[in-house]
Amino acid sequence: MSHSVIIKNAVKKYGDFTAVNGISLEIKQGEFFTLLGPSGCGKTTLLRMIAGFNTVDGGEICFDEKVINNVPAHKRDIGMVFQNYAIFPHLNVAENVAYGLKARKVPKDQIAPRVAEALKMVQIDALKDRKPNELSGGQQQRVALARAFVIEPGVLLMDEPLSNLDAKLRVQMRTTIKKLQRRLGITTIYVTHDQEEALAISDRIAVMKDGNIMQVGAPDEIYRKPANPFVANFIGVSNFIDCTVSGEDPAGAAVQMTGADYAIRMRLRKPYTGEAILSARPEQLSFAGTGIPGKINMSVFLGDFIQYEVELHNGQILELNEYTKDVDSARPDGEQVYVAFNPNQVSLYCKETQEVLSC
């Protein structure tokens, strides 16, 4: 049976360096939860603390209501999929998958059918007698997945499992992983630095930076309503525009773009007057009859959309997407344009504190 995972003020230090800085999370039973962030943010360290490979220097890690801080890794009800697959070169595919069942002393008459079912789930049942050196990278990763799933762990931990695969195979494998996880209902904690992968595969995402959680939410929430400029910049592409806010009335604050005769009105969480940063994704910008003046430096045709680089009159560069279903052809380089956006879609942050101001 799957477990919920509750992390309470978890701390991990290496000398004077704090890798995990008092993190608290509650991961629901059966949830696909992703730890996302740049290299060195602490996501793998936290995963290894959950696995029992790293000690916990402060706080608690619980499976359901049981504190597991001092439970040895081999006694935690977990399965693990590593970046480098970690499959045994001297064993064939079926023997690799059976290894965990034998280690858990599963009756012999149950091992073969469970291995066969696991190999069928990851679609490599025809390869059961091959050695790892006879498999492609994608096939080896499927062996690692089958080995993790077959033991039916209460929690499945995955550390950058697709990073060694080519782009097309990564997309195929992430779909396979998500389907298997939904089918089996195993609580899964997944570590990646790939934003697109996290958005595609997760029920919820925790974005990390410098050992801290910057935001937790569903993929669409993280993307559409980032909690701070770091999240806005790390997840996808964002344009940042300096502005000044006059917001005594938070229901309709005036937001004036710096260096441009263009203002909009936005709803704020609370009254605010001062300098701010407006964040807009390329698809949230549009060409209009009025707006921030600029010119098109270049365009790139990408099938579904045309990506423009627009230079504003103050020299700032924006990225804007125009979808091919809405236009007949690309705009020429050098064309003078006005850039506008929907106030209900963009995000607004206090320039000094980075706190989100917009609703």
Side-chain angles (χ1 to χ4, degrees), residues 68-354:
I68 61 165
N69 288 30
N70 298 316
V71 175
H74 69 278
K75 292 187 177 180
R76 301 188 184 190
D77 187 15
I78 63 168
M80 189 90 187
V81 180
F82 298 93
Q83 180 178 350
N84 62 356
Y85 316 142
I87 56 179
F88 301 113
H90 63 289
L91 301 179
N92 66 26
V93 167
E95 290 166 341
N96 263 284
V97 175
Y99 182 85
L101 295 173
K102 292 177 179 177
R104 292 188 174 210
K105 299 187 177 359
V106 172
K108 287 184 179 180
D109 61 337
Q110 295 181 22
I111 291 178
R114 286 177 64 173
V115 168
E117 182 184 8
L119 293 177
K120 189 174 182 179
M121 278 197 302
V122 297
Q123 300 176 331
I124 54 169
D125 43 315
L127 308 178
K128 62 185 178 66
D129 296 320
R130 291 192 187 182
K131 291 288 182 67
N133 63 359
E134 300 175 302
L135 303 175
S136 68
Q139 290 167 341
Q140 290 184 43
Q141 187 57 279
R142 288 174 187 268
V143 175
L145 284 173
R147 187 177 59 187
F149 281 123
V150 77
I151 62 174
E152 299 176 0
V155 178
L156 178 62
L157 307 176
M158 308 185 80
D159 186 12
E160 302 268 13
L162 307 183
S163 60
N164 290 334
L165 305 180
D166 63 59
K168 185 175 182 180
L169 192 53
R170 278 202 305 271
V171 173
Q172 293 174 350
M173 285 302 300
R174 77 189 187 200
T175 302
T176 297
I177 289 170
K178 183 61 178 176
K179 285 181 177 178
L180 286 172
Q181 190 271 340
R182 282 187 173 176
R183 175 179 169 183
L184 299 173
I186 297 173
T187 305
T188 300
I189 305 175
Y190 189 96
V191 161
T192 184
H193 64 274
D194 187 316
Q195 305 96 317
E196 181 180 312
E197 188 171 289
L199 292 172
I201 208 168
S202 312
D203 294 323
R204 284 193 302 152
I205 299 168
V207 183
M208 295 182 63
K209 177 189 177 188
D210 299 333
N212 296 290
I213 299 292
M214 305 305 288
Q215 185 174 0
V216 178
D220 62 335
E221 177 188 353
I222 295 277
Y223 186 83
R224 295 178 187 276
K225 296 292 181 181
N228 50 62
F230 173 80
V231 176
N233 192 44
F234 187 75
I235 303 289
V237 176
S238 285
N239 300 287
F240 295 103
I241 303 168
D242 288 336
C243 56
T244 303
V245 180
S246 299
E248 295 305 321
D249 178 8
V255 181
Q256 175 69 51
M257 304 305 123
T258 301
D261 185 20
Y262 181 60
I264 58 174
R265 300 194 73 82
M266 293 182 67
R267 291 178 62 242
L268 305 184
R269 300 185 176 195
K270 62 183 180 180
Y272 175 81
T273 296
E275 293 187 333
I277 302 169
L278 187 141
S279 169
R281 300 200 180 277
E283 68 273 16
Q284 294 171 340
L285 298 175
S286 61
F287 297 119
T290 59
I292 307 174
K295 68 171 183 176
I296 294 175
N297 281 345
M298 63 178 293
S299 64
V300 179
F301 179 79
L302 294 172
D304 288 346
F305 62 92
I306 303 164
Q307 182 184 85
Y308 292 96
E309 180 183 285
V310 179
E311 182 177 347
L312 304 183
H313 284 187
N314 65 4
Q316 183 178 355
I317 302 297
L318 300 183
E319 185 176 311
L320 183 154
N321 293 344
E322 194 170 47
Y323 287 84
T324 50
K325 67 181 178 59
D326 300 322
V327 296
D328 295 327
S329 60
R331 297 169 183 262
D333 293 355
E335 179 180 332
Q336 299 295 315
V337 294
Y338 289 97
V339 175
F341 36 79
N342 185 336
N344 296 323
Q345 295 180 342
V346 297
S347 299
L348 191 68
Y349 307 99
C350 173
K351 191 167 187 177
E352 181 180 359
T353 66
Q354 309 285 286

